[in-house]
Amino acid sequence: MTLANTLPWLLFALPAGVLADRIDRLRLIKMMTGARALVLAVLAGGVLADRLSLAGLYAGALLLGTAEVFADTTRMSVVPMVVPRGRMESAFAKLTATETLANDFIGPPLGGLLAATGLAAALGAGGVGYAAALLVLAIMTGHYRGGRRPGSAPGAVSLRADISAGIRYVWRERVLRTLLLVAGAASACWAAWMAVIVVHAVTPGPLGLSRSEYGLLIGALGVGGVLGASAAPALTRRLGRQVVLATSMACFALLLAAPAISSSPWLIAVTTLLGGAGSGAWNVTYSSLRALVVPDEIMGRYSGVSRLASWGSMPLGALVAGLTAELISVRAVFWGGAALCVLVLAVTMRTVTSAEFRQVEARASASPEPEPAQP
């Protein structure tokens, strides 16, 4: 199920970015939201009719994951089109905090309660949620087509050429490219930690936590994510993006290092909170920086490459963690992840203290306000 739901990030992130630059972005989000509502309605109907097979469930997960790729990649491209430049950090902070609350605090317990009454209720409620989101999207008016080069018709350039153009742009922008690779490595470490922390934490693991205590530990990630995302704009104004990005990556290193060197539940809880905060702050700071720097005509393709690096590396990180834990030990996963995070932190610090980063910041400060959507 997890593979079916996440595999589309590896398969379709780049084509999704191209499509976001070719057609009206709001229309694409609406289409994918409606598709998710329809898939969940079909799955719920299959449960009620007692005709839903395991293969059908896998197919539903694959379709939902595919729609998520296109919707989320496009959503990141719409934000710079509707948010004034001076409020970019605030907008991404609210989006990240809301997403963290929904994913970590509202969705899982609500899903558990609904599943207790019946699988059809859980699936159907998800479909109703997407249908409600579609109604909210209907409030947004105007056209949100990505700005293309003059004379470049949507069908004039092949899909491969558009993907290549997006990759070349990312490769030329050395600072954004480095931060993108850093985020991908950190996502792999994050997935590795998530894959094995339950074995390390829950009895008979070294931490000796009960299942409910483990739930609180994972909840600390969500709390930290909300706090980090909410504080990121103020921290950026007071300390600068360099400090926020470097500190966020240091929190990732602590998240991985703590269980490698200690079996103290309290220390692990604190570093888990810090790791969540680092994730929230990084997402807001990095997303707002790229939104201010990347031209609108290539924003969709850049978002596709970005999502491929961050989300595509997560199943790979989890796979390596599982193999390492099986062949060596669980602590070896944490040691390896901590070492990689320290290396990534060194690269981050070198990047954010460079003259090139200051030039990118200057471009961000001088970027024009987005043009309002045309009715």
Side-chain angles (χ1 to χ4, degrees), residues 42 50 59 74 91 95 110 164 181 189-190 204 215 218 221 226 256 270 282 284 306 308 327 334 336 348 352 371 374:
V42 171
D50 198 22
T74 308
L95 284 171
L110 180 59
S164 298
L181 293 174
C189 292
W190 177 282
I218 297 301
L221 278 177
V226 173
L256 272 295
V270 170
W282 175 281
V284 171
S306 176
L308 176 64
L327 299 176
F334 299 131
T348 302
V352 299
E371 295 184 3
Q374 297 299 317

Side-chain angles (χ1 to χ4, degrees), residues 5 20 41 45 49 87 102 134 146 170 174-175 198 209 213 216-217 241 264 266 268 298 328 332 339 355:
N5 194 234
R87 297 177 59 188
L134 192 59
V170 174
R174 196 180 78 86
V175 169
V198 62
L209 301 182
E213 289 171 335
L216 293 175
L217 177 67
R241 288 191 180 93
S264 167
W266 289 106
I268 307 303
I298 206 166
I328 306 176

Side-chain angles (χ1 to χ4, degrees), residues 160-298:
R160 178 180 297 180
D162 258 348
I163 291 176
S164 298
I167 295 175
R168 285 197 303 271
Y169 174 83
V170 174
W171 190 256
R172 287 196 305 267
E173 292 282 346
R174 196 180 78 86
V175 169
L176 295 180
R177 180 190 74 213
T178 303
L179 293 178
L180 187 58
L181 293 174
V182 160
S187 294
C189 292
W190 177 282
W193 185 90
M194 289 294 296
V196 299
I197 188 62
V198 62
V199 181
H200 186 75
V202 178
T203 301
L207 297 189
L209 301 182
S210 66
R211 294 183 180 182
S212 59
E213 289 171 335
Y214 172 73
L216 293 175
L217 177 67
I218 297 301
L221 278 177
V223 173
V226 173
L227 293 176
S230 302
L235 292 175
T236 299
R237 289 192 299 270
R238 183 176 295 272
L239 304 176
R241 288 191 180 93
Q242 299 95 323
V243 175
V244 175
L245 290 172
T247 303
S248 298
M249 198 53 61
C251 290
F252 272 100
L254 290 175
L255 176 73
L256 272 295
I261 62 177
S262 173
S263 296
S264 167
W266 289 106
L267 177 63
I268 307 303
V270 170
T271 55
T272 299
L273 181 71
L274 290 174
S279 173
W282 175 281
N283 288 336
V284 171
T285 307
Y286 169 67
S287 297
S288 58
L289 178 63
R290 76 178 184 188
L292 291 169
V293 172
V294 178
D296 178 67
E297 63 266 18
I298 206 166

